[in-house]
Amino acid sequence: MDDAVDAALEELGLPRQVAAQARPAREEPAPPADGLAAQRDAAAQLGAALRALTDASVRTLAPTATLLDVAARIAECLPALTAEQRDVGAPAPLDDPAAKLWLYNPVIGRANPIAPWLETTLVDGVLTGRATLGLPYQGPRGYLHGGVSAMMLDQVLGDVVSASGRSGLTVSLSTRYRGPIPLLAPLLVVGRVVEVADRKITAAGTIALESEPDRPLVEGVGIFVVPRPDQAARLFGAFGASAPDTPGAPDIPGAPDIPGAPDIPGAPDTPGTPGTVPALAGPPNPPSTT
């Protein structure tokens, strides 16, 4: 698979190094124990190949004829993937909720081609994610898009809340951008739970360069709420689920007059308006760079 990706990149006039940058480093998988393991590995390889293709497509300077030829060949692949598909809201057969394996999550999913594939580890209640993002995630020239930073923080904060034994939904996410994040630089995204008040959990996190872990470039505070059983049934019952059992569950405003939203003591009345969150030290937000 990797050789095929490299060959496609060279045909677009790009060096083989592009594949290495676009494809997350990973150890060679052990021989699969069963068919499910083999299919999971195949899905992850497809995701890696599509990430490499995406990186190539936003970097290429190939002529019009080459672009049209590659687009036509990609279109020829679609029928093989669309012959059998799951519906929106249906569980992914390759996921393993018990093992917290979410192959198609848009941030941590190895099989999701839009995911930066943030690799996370949990140690002593602190969740740390590592990733290196390239040109597909650019905002200002040479730097990461601020919305991608917020997405990674939402994922890490939500996951560390889940790891604490509660599955909550995001009702508020406050971000402070202290400096631009350069592309192709190894990053650390760190999150921890800082307060638990009944069903409301507050988590805080940072994004920093791996080479300068003590100098955060982005800070974030998220408020998550565990829905009551009746609220969970309204939100997820149509999908055959009774709780938000996956990371990346839909954000729901905390206003009780919005259908399906949980009643949250002390939650903000306006969607997207932060409630009371721990103060983040430092200067006011600089002008947005996105």
Side-chain angles (χ1 to χ4, degrees), residues 131-133 181-188 208-210:
T132 302
L133 283 72
I181 297 176
L183 297 177
L184 300 178
L187 304 177
L188 292 178
L209 299 179
E210 194 173 84

Side-chain angles (χ1 to χ4, degrees), residues 78-212:
L78 293 179
L81 295 175
T82 58
E84 296 182 63
Q85 292 184 304
R86 61 189 172 98
D87 293 331
V88 172
L94 300 184
D95 284 349
D96 185 353
K100 299 295 184 185
L101 175 64
W102 315 105
L103 281 176
Y104 299 103
N105 179 277
V107 180
I108 61 173
R110 292 178 63 200
N112 191 327
I114 72 168
W117 190 32
L118 193 69
E119 293 187 90
T120 60
T121 55
L122 180 70
V123 178
D124 296 331
V126 178
L127 191 73
T128 301
R130 288 176 167 82
T132 302
L133 283 72
L135 201 59
Y137 305 99
Q138 179 174 259
R141 188 180 303 178
Y143 296 98
L144 186 66
H145 193 290
V148 177
S149 301
M151 181 176 69
M152 291 194 298
L153 276 173
D154 185 40
Q155 182 69 48
V156 165
L157 298 183
D159 281 1
V160 78
V161 167
S162 178
S164 72
R166 298 162 174 257
S167 291
L169 302 179
T170 312
V171 297
S172 173
L173 180 65
S174 302
T175 55
R176 175 173 291 172
Y177 298 89
R178 293 185 170 279
I181 297 176
L183 297 177
L184 300 178
L187 304 177
L188 292 178
V189 188
V190 180
R192 55 175 57 81
V193 173
V194 297
E195 183 180 5
V196 177
D198 192 22
R199 294 185 297 118
K200 184 167 70 173
I201 307 102
T202 302
T206 59
I207 301 178
L209 299 179
E210 194 173 84
S211 60
E212 299 179 80

